[in-house]
Amino acid sequence: MSFEHYDETDFDAVRHLLPDSVMEMVGLIGAEPTLALLRAYGGTTFPVSCNVKRAGQATHAALAEVVGEQAADKLCRAFGQRQRLWLPKCERAVRELLHRKIRRQFDELTGRDRYRLTAQQATRSLALAHNLTQRRIWYILKQPDKTPETAVQTALF
């Protein structure tokens, strides 16, 4: 699971499920460069340098290739003293995006056009398409979107 198939709009829809460190990066360099960084290095620790020594220049160049020169400079200024930048995989957010996509696809497959599928056919198709079990698809379909309001209510119980 990764942000490969999602864009800035999707990313924004699940910002309440993102770690604070990711939101800090979004505030610093913007959503699209942060998304590109998570796509490229999510789940790893990326060395951040002050772009002074040869090794630092190489890591800075690798970072700039992904997020652009200005964003790389901002990240280096903000996180250079830490020397390492943890880039989480954001699995909760990615999972929520996948679940929303499955619910949307189910609605499309069972819609009102003349080629519509039965619910049973649609869940079978989705299970095969997403490499999940049909039982898991049914479970996902019964869940509402995780919004900031539902996330707070779930945390209370």
Side-chain angles (χ1 to χ4, degrees), residues 32-146:
E32 196 57 46
T34 302
L35 192 53
L37 194 57
L38 293 174
R39 280 187 198 120
Y41 298 108
T44 65
T45 303
F46 191 87
V48 179
S49 69
C50 294
N51 197 16
V52 177
K53 297 181 181 176
R54 187 177 307 176
Q57 291 170 346
T59 58
H60 182 80
L63 183 61
E65 189 175 319
V66 175
V67 299
E69 192 66 39
Q70 287 182 334
D73 289 341
K74 287 179 183 178
L75 287 172
C76 288
R77 278 194 302 277
F79 301 110
Q81 73 279 6
R82 294 186 199 172
Q83 295 182 338
R84 297 187 198 304
L85 180 60
W86 168 245
L87 300 168
K89 290 176 74 173
C90 304
E91 289 176 325
R92 285 180 18 179
V94 173
R95 189 177 311 111
E96 175 61 18
L97 288 172
L98 174 65
H99 290 184
R100 288 179 183 194
K101 180 180 180 180
I102 288 171
R103 288 189 287 269
R104 194 170 48 250
Q105 288 175 331
F106 178 82
D107 290 343
E108 291 167 3
L109 290 171
T110 59
R112 295 191 182 268
D113 66 2
R114 67 181 199 163
Y115 298 110
R116 81 180 188 103
L117 300 177
T118 65
Q120 199 61 246
Q121 292 169 326
T123 56
R124 185 179 318 111
S125 175
L126 290 168
L128 294 171
H130 295 285
N131 197 29
L132 297 169
T133 64
Q134 200 168 359
R135 177 178 277 182
R136 182 70 183 158
I137 296 295
W138 281 115
Y139 175 80
I140 291 167
L141 293 174
K142 292 178 183 179
Q143 302 302 309
D145 286 355
K146 286 184 175 53

